[in-house]
Amino acid sequence: MIRKCFGLFLAFALVFSVFSTLPVDAANRPLAKLPGNSNPLMDHKLGADPYSLVYNGRVYVYMSSDTYVYNSDGSIKENDFSSLDRIQVSSSADMVNWTDHGTIPVAGVNNKNGGKGIAKWAGNSWAPAVATKKINGKDKFFLYFANGGSGIGVLTADSPIGPWTDPLGKALLTQSTPGMAGVTWLFDPAVLLNDDGTGYLYSGGGIPNESNPASIANPKTARVIKLGADMISVNGSATTIDAPYMFEDSGIHKYNGKYYYSYCINFAGTHPAQYPAGEIGYMVSDNPMGPFTYKGHFLKNPYNFFGVGGNNHHAVFNFKNEWYVVYHAQTVSKAQIGTGKGYRSPHINKLVHNADGSIAEVQANMAGVAQLSNINPYTRVEAETIGWQAGIATEPTQASGGPISNLNVTNINNGDWVAVGRADFGSNGAKTFKANVATTGGGNIEVRLDSDTGPLVGTLKVTSTGGMQNWKEMQTTINNVTGIHNVYLVFTGSGNANLFNLDYWQFAS
Ligand SMILES: [Ca+2]
Ligand SMILES: [Ca+2]
């Protein structure tokens, strides 16, 4: 089918080659996040072990930096986690359009991250957890991460997207922290900021003795420890959470005055039915330090929903008075390479607490969460704010005046596109469209409505700015768009090279 379409495209290309812009290649289609769907959150890159932070009307998702690792013959290796030395961040106000904030170069031992690693003592940065707390009248942000299975570190910042610094110069939690002995894998942090301003850090995993059924059933490798008021120290000794069939992936949330500790159930041995292997189980307590009582499970292994399994990882959060779970599944890698090979992508679905306080089974799917609010196209919209896309990539930009860790869209080839869901143009309508671009070549941005082949309401001709990081705003007129539309920026041009880079765009009425 694809080959047939491509043949047809070639025929068109030959017929219409006299025109300066080529027809859109039918192969320019999304990989895994299809228009109308909200999952995965993104498909222009991967992202594992997601954790959420809600701040100022946006949800930020922090992820382990899954990146394809290749064999010497160019084929993609099974994920060996060797690339997990950064933390990826994306945020959204509406759960469809996600702004890519790039990667935080966390691990810094042995010149990792090209010498830019922030935590000079850490070799890895797995499975982040993030909290914010007002300290001395200022909002501070705390990013906890696992140095592989050997400990938990913390970075701090004044904004949810950095810049981040390492306040300790060493791990916050190690096996020698009081109460931590016996934790097989000291990783996978989760953090709770209680209503009284006290922080609690949850972590741990692994089975001390896999040949012993009692060790599988009660590994006693989960811990909770009270944090100091500064959130970067600990207060007292860690307490064991006796989570049955504990594997990894601590989660914590507070609902209706109760503390919900959740975790991934292990795969070893045989289990009683109430502890299904590879699913997310949960326990409840009246106290953040426990003791917790096992109540059930609420998120099946991704295999049940997406036909591709592997590990499970989750975080529960509240955003605009609704509960959600962010989790990962190997949906992008499955679409790209046929099998997941252990490479994961973030998803979000609704989570429901029943009247009795139990959690209903999550219905995970590709549809995800319907868009919560519209985008305002009359404010600067980062090009890396993406609802859906075909064929593009993002990279750190040298453009000035943007957000912290600003990115631009790149790898723009003929027929590639980016789209945002539900931009509200109002009743007066848009008259102009401008974009900040950089290129030594050029091409066009076709502004289309509601699909990549939808009505064309304007075309911005992008001409050379003298460099792929020499930035210039360019503008074109728009054929009066009103109302609410998904906006598609369809890129056209000739040649195989990146046509141009795109930093942001904005309409004016
Ligand atoms: Ca491309
Ligand atoms: Ca940008």
Side-chain angles (χ1 to χ4, degrees):
M1 187 63 190
I2 289 169
R3 278 170 193 276
K4 258 189 189 168
C5 288
F6 186 66
L8 201 63
F9 159 67
L10 276 183
F12 270 110
L14 289 171
V15 171
F16 291 108
S17 60
V18 289
F19 296 109
S20 59
T21 56
L22 292 168
V24 171
D25 183 344
N28 294 108
R29 66 193 74 191
L31 208 48
K33 187 182 184 187
L34 305 182
N37 282 354
S38 303
N39 283 332
L41 307 186
M42 67 198 75
D43 63 356
H44 68 287
K45 65 205 299 189
L46 303 164
D49 308 322
Y51 200 91
S52 53
L53 172 77
V54 170
Y55 181 72
N56 262 358
R58 297 183 73 82
V59 56
Y60 292 81
V61 174
Y62 301 79
M63 295 157 276
S64 301
S65 57
D66 266 19
T67 310
Y68 292 126
V69 181
Y70 293 88
N71 293 305
S72 51
D73 67 358
S75 60
I76 294 173
K77 251 189 201 175
E78 191 76 22
N79 192 357
D80 60 6
F81 310 121
S82 60
S83 67
L84 306 194
D85 56 8
R86 291 155 289 137
I87 299 290
Q88 293 182 184
V89 191
S90 289
S91 75
S92 178
D94 59 42
M95 306 284 244
V96 168
N97 301 305
W98 288 89
T99 302
D100 186 347
H101 298 293
T103 60
I104 307 163
V106 179
V109 81
N110 297 333
N111 252 6
K112 276 218 165 190
N113 278 304
K116 291 185 174 148
I118 297 163
K120 297 298 179 200
W121 53 273
N124 302 281
S125 54
W126 295 1
V130 184
T132 181
K133 179 181 176 181
K134 209 174 268 298
I135 292 188
N136 297 328
K138 271 185 68 184
D139 290 339
K140 287 277 181 185
F141 297 82
F142 304 90
L143 172 65
Y144 303 91
F145 65 93
N147 181 25
S150 70
I152 309 288
V154 59
L155 303 183
T156 57
D158 293 335
S159 93
I161 52 172
W164 299 92
T165 55
D166 174 10
L168 299 178
K170 60 179 183 178
L172 171 64
L173 300 183
T174 67
Q175 301 277 354
S176 54
T177 303
M180 284 297 171
V183 177
T184 307
W185 300 326
L186 183 38
F187 69 179
D188 286 5
V191 60
L192 172 81
L193 186 71
N194 210 357
D195 304 328
D196 65 0
T198 307
Y200 296 87
L201 195 56
Y202 302 76
S203 63
I207 303 166
N209 181 1
E210 284 219 25
S211 59
N212 178 1
S215 184
I216 292 170
N218 298 92
K220 298 183 179 173
T221 50
R223 296 287 185 276
V224 51
I225 195 164
K226 194 186 278 191
L227 290 166
D230 59 7
M231 299 290 278
I232 58 169
S233 60
V234 296
N235 184 348
S237 181
T239 297
T240 297
I241 300 172
D242 189 5
Y245 296 87
M246 167 74 183
F247 185 50
E248 59 182 9
D249 177 26
S250 284
I252 187 73
H253 72 279
K254 188 176 185 179
Y255 172 75
N256 216 4
K258 306 270 190 196
Y259 300 87
Y260 286 68
Y261 174 76
S262 44
Y263 62 100
C264 186
I265 294 168
N266 67 43
F267 297 83
T270 52
H271 296 193
Q274 68 265 41
Y275 308 118
E279 302 193 13
I280 303 299
Y282 71 103
M283 308 175 81
V284 177
S285 176
D286 294 326
N287 187 303
M289 298 287 284
F292 290 89
T293 304
Y294 187 80
K295 292 290 186 185
H297 47 87
F298 62 81
L299 181 63
K300 293 190 187 322
N301 187 270
Y303 184 82
N304 293 274
F305 307 107
F306 307 108
V308 60
N311 69 356
N312 209 344
H313 202 103
H314 81 294
V316 174
F317 66 101
N318 186 291
F319 184 54
K320 299 182 178 173
N321 298 316
E322 293 276 1
W323 289 92
Y324 302 96
V325 59
V326 59
Y327 60 94
H328 68 210
Q330 299 175 27
T331 46
V332 173
S333 55
K334 185 188 178 192
Q336 197 154 16
I337 56 182
T339 60
K341 288 201 170 183
Y343 296 96
R344 300 151 295 177
S345 292
H347 288 225
I348 293 177
N349 279 98
K350 265 196 174 164
L351 179 134
V352 175
H353 297 88
N354 297 315
D356 65 358
S358 61
I359 302 177
E361 279 284 346
V362 171
Q363 304 301 312
N365 55 33
M366 298 295 264
V369 179
Q371 191 168 336
L372 299 182
S373 56
N374 299 328
I375 271 208
N376 181 353
Y378 301 119
T379 59
R380 168 179 168 144
V381 179
E382 297 305 320
E384 62 274 17
T385 297
I386 298 167
W388 306 279
Q389 63 84 28
I392 61 89
T394 57
E395 64 178 4
T397 191
Q398 292 165 28
S400 59
I404 291 164
S405 304
N406 188 15
L407 304 186
N408 61 250
V409 168
T410 188
N411 190 14
I412 290 175
N413 303 103
N414 183 54
D416 290 349
W417 51 262
V418 294
V420 294
R422 295 183 64 93
D424 186 356
F425 289 94
S427 52
N428 286 337
K431 304 291 191 292
T432 62
F433 169 84
K434 70 177 179 182
N436 197 31
V437 291
T439 183
T440 52
N444 302 285
I445 301 175
E446 296 181 357
V447 181
R448 292 181 179 271
L449 303 183
D450 302 316
S451 92
D452 60 316
T453 54
L456 177 66
V457 294
T459 301
L460 177 65
K461 190 169 173 55
V462 176
T463 54
S464 176
T465 61
M468 296 310 286
Q469 287 293 334
N470 286 0
W471 293 92
K472 197 175 166 191
E473 270 190 358
M474 295 186 190
Q475 182 167 312
T476 190
T477 54
I478 290 292
N479 185 15
N480 195 38
V481 182
T482 59
I484 295 168
H485 296 279
N486 296 346
V487 176
Y488 283 71
L489 305 181
V490 181
F491 308 117
T492 63
S494 52
N496 295 320
N498 180 24
L499 296 171
F500 48 87
N501 292 329
L502 178 59
D503 174 20
Y504 62 83
W505 54 264
Q506 182 170 352
F507 289 86
S509 56

